[in-house]
Amino acid sequence: MAERISRALLPDNTSVANDGMVVFAGVRADDLVEEFGTPLFVYDEDHIRSRCQEAVQAFPDGVSYAAKAFLCKAMAKLAYGEGMGLDVATIGEAYVALQAGVPGASLTLHGNNKSLEELRFAMDNEIGRVVIDSFDEIERIEHLYKTVGKPLKALVRVTPGVQAYTHKYITTGEVDSKFGFTVPNGLADEAIAKAKLSESIELIGLHAHIGSQIFTSDSFRKSTRILVDLAENFGLPELCVGGGLGVPYVNGESSISITEWGAIVAEVSELSSANIQVTAEPGRSIVASSAVTIYTVGTIKKIEGVRTYVAVDGGMHDNPRPALYGSDYETFLARSIEDSRGRNITLVGKHCESGDVLVKEGNIQDDLVVGDLLVTPVTGAYGHSMGSNYNKVLRPAVVFVSDGNSRLVVRREELSDLLNSDLS
């Protein structure tokens, strides 16, 4: 019999009502569903604040929230209000952050193929830092400088050649990567020298991100050592070690904390004789475990001797990670969170795809019935942000909960939203 869901996977302020119903930050799951429907993303706001505060303390030289993990105006305001900048990967993410009131100076613009439009946007909105990712980008910046006449503050992204033991699709620090300039073959040295000589660029440091969902401290230690040496060699005052800290998704998994990660980086950087400012960009570790997704069970299909399929009203449109990476998640019934989960299931969505699987080998309470509220925890990162309208489904709503109150921060899409850009 599978054990009950681990409390370590749940938002910090999760409790259980007298009747067994799960309660998030003082708000019952069934009450949330009655008001906002399903599928529904529920974020524990104070959980997020706690992780932001931890990150600010762990990286006193500066830390930015990696907006690609999850972004809306409320999230941008929260992260900035807790002392974090924002790492934005596109002009769209930058726009949302600016609309939320985050100053351009507090943004760092990433991207391996920035257009002239995006670079001009960065200049016009006085984006604090642009992370240079290619020689072509340097040429675009120099082209814009001829008309704008104002240099961009920039970091050069390097790939240190460090293997991160994670899924190949989210490994970004090895030599074979679409991101940045590789250190082992000398391209990083060439790019740094070119940027330092360019009057269109105010080079202030280096940036690296070796991948995502990393659990081994050794990868962070090796990467930081290489970057510190490189920054020291070129006399650059700032070094951003990126993000990538792993987060447990299923019972039995564990990871180092943001505080422990910061201590590792500080320990390595302090070995340098140079006074280097070390910053970071956590995303997943800020929001992943702060949220759950609540679904309604619509179909239970038992194939004798094979498996039991449980279909819910969500799917790969609200959480594509299992289809993309084979990611694992846990499941439990909202009405009986403390009960053991003895029934083996495969949790699937409603899309016309056999690959529309949310949990391939899951466990649920034995008395599961159609209409039950089913919860998947640790869905705060790369669920809503990677979502889609595939099959013309509607994206779910997002609710923040805190101290017994709930507030809608992203409304559920309506059918009319599907035609917003349709001109026929």
Side-chain angles (χ1 to χ4, degrees):
M1 179 174 290
E3 59 190 356
R4 68 181 66 175
I5 192 75
S6 170
R7 286 298 186 96
L9 300 178
L10 300 175
D12 287 349
N13 301 292
T14 301
S15 59
V16 184
N18 291 335
D19 61 357
M21 179 64 64
V22 64
V23 178
F24 300 112
V27 187
R28 290 172 59 100
D30 53 350
D31 287 343
L32 287 167
V33 170
E34 182 177 358
E35 182 172 2
F36 301 108
T38 59
L40 182 67
F41 284 96
V42 180
Y43 282 80
D44 179 339
E45 187 171 346
D46 292 328
H47 178 124
I48 302 174
R49 292 189 185 280
S50 174
R51 298 307 183 275
C52 289
Q53 293 163 7
E54 182 183 2
V56 169
Q57 292 180 350
F59 294 93
D61 288 340
V63 61
S64 292
Y65 168 64
K68 60 183 176 288
F70 167 66
L71 182 64
C72 64
K73 288 195 294 184
M75 182 63 218
K77 290 177 183 177
L78 190 159
Y80 178 68
E82 294 298 338
M84 300 185 78
L86 267 73
D87 145 22
V88 292
T90 65
I91 192 172
E93 288 182 356
Y95 176 77
V96 171
L98 291 168
Q99 290 297 306
V102 180
S106 296
L107 303 182
T108 301
L109 179 63
H110 287 266
N112 69 298
N113 185 28
K114 301 181 195 71
S115 65
L116 277 172
E117 179 191 9
E118 287 173 312
L119 292 169
R120 186 178 291 110
F121 183 90
M123 290 181 176
D124 292 344
N125 289 277
E126 299 181 341
I127 299 297
R129 287 162 174 75
V130 171
V131 180
I132 295 174
D133 203 277
S134 69
F135 289 110
D136 294 319
E137 189 174 320
I138 294 176
E139 291 183 7
R140 292 187 188 114
I141 293 172
E142 290 177 337
H143 172 77
L144 285 173
Y145 179 74
K146 293 176 183 177
T147 58
V148 178
K150 187 175 182 179
L152 272 177
K153 286 187 177 180
L155 306 173
V156 168
R157 178 160 181 171
V158 299
T159 50
V162 174
Q163 182 176 4
Y165 296 96
T166 185
H167 194 284
K168 64 181 181 179
Y169 288 174
I170 49 178
T171 297
T172 59
E174 296 181 340
V175 171
D176 185 4
S177 173
K178 77 172 187 176
F179 296 103
F181 303 91
T182 51
V183 174
N185 63 8
L187 287 178
D189 287 23
E190 183 181 347
I192 293 167
K194 187 175 180 63
K196 288 186 74 172
L197 289 173
S198 175
E199 63 179 356
S200 65
I201 297 169
E202 183 184 342
L203 184 63
I204 57 177
L206 301 179
H207 179 281
H209 178 73
I210 62 173
S212 297
Q213 198 54 357
I214 299 166
F215 292 95
T216 61
S217 59
D218 188 51
S219 293
F220 288 119
R221 190 170 275 108
K222 286 179 179 178
S223 172
T224 304
R225 179 70 268 167
I226 291 171
L227 292 169
V228 167
D229 288 345
L230 202 61
E232 186 176 7
N233 182 51
F234 280 94
L236 296 172
E238 184 173 327
L239 165 62
C240 182
V241 296
L245 180 61
V247 170
Y249 279 87
V250 296
N251 281 9
E253 285 187 340
S254 62
S255 177
I256 62 174
S257 67
I258 296 172
T259 299
E260 290 168 323
W261 172 40
I264 291 168
V265 172
E267 175 190 341
V268 174
S269 60
E270 286 171 1
L271 296 175
S272 170
S273 58
N275 184 22
I276 301 173
Q277 180 181 353
V278 181
T279 65
E281 296 169 341
R284 186 192 310 267
S285 56
I286 299 293
V287 293
S289 59
S290 73
V292 302
T293 308
I294 306 176
Y295 301 103
T296 299
V297 175
T299 300
I300 302 172
K301 184 178 295 184
K302 185 175 182 180
I303 304 175
E304 200 65 45
V306 181
R307 70 176 69 244
T308 297
Y309 285 100
V310 176
V312 293
D313 52 354
M316 62 192 296
H317 72 279
D318 62 70
N319 187 2
R321 292 186 69 250
L324 285 174
Y325 312 133
S327 303
D328 293 324
Y329 286 85
E330 297 282 359
T331 60
F332 64 91
L333 295 182
R335 60 177 166 82
S336 53
I337 181 176
E338 294 192 314
D339 290 355
S340 296
R341 299 167 299 147
R343 188 171 184 178
N344 300 117
I345 65 165
T346 293
L347 184 67
V348 297
K350 59 186 298 174
H351 290 281
C352 296
E353 295 279 347
S354 296
D356 178 25
V357 176
L358 291 168
V359 182
K360 186 175 182 180
E361 299 291 342
N363 297 287
I364 201 73
Q365 288 86 336
D366 290 319
D367 58 346
L368 169 74
V369 295
V370 169
D372 264 329
L373 300 181
L374 185 150
V375 182
T376 57
V378 201
T379 56
Y382 303 106
H384 191 275
S385 65
M386 295 178 75
S388 74
N389 288 122
Y390 179 52
N391 287 150
K392 295 302 182 185
V393 295
L394 305 177
R395 291 184 179 92
V398 180
V399 173
F400 277 14
V401 290
S402 176
D403 196 25
N405 298 304
S406 60
R407 62 185 178 114
L408 187 66
V409 297
V410 179
R411 68 165 173 81
R412 185 177 307 281
E413 287 184 331
E414 301 173 353
L415 287 175
S416 59
D417 291 320
L418 297 176
L419 299 178
N420 281 342
S421 58
D422 194 325
L423 301 179
S424 298

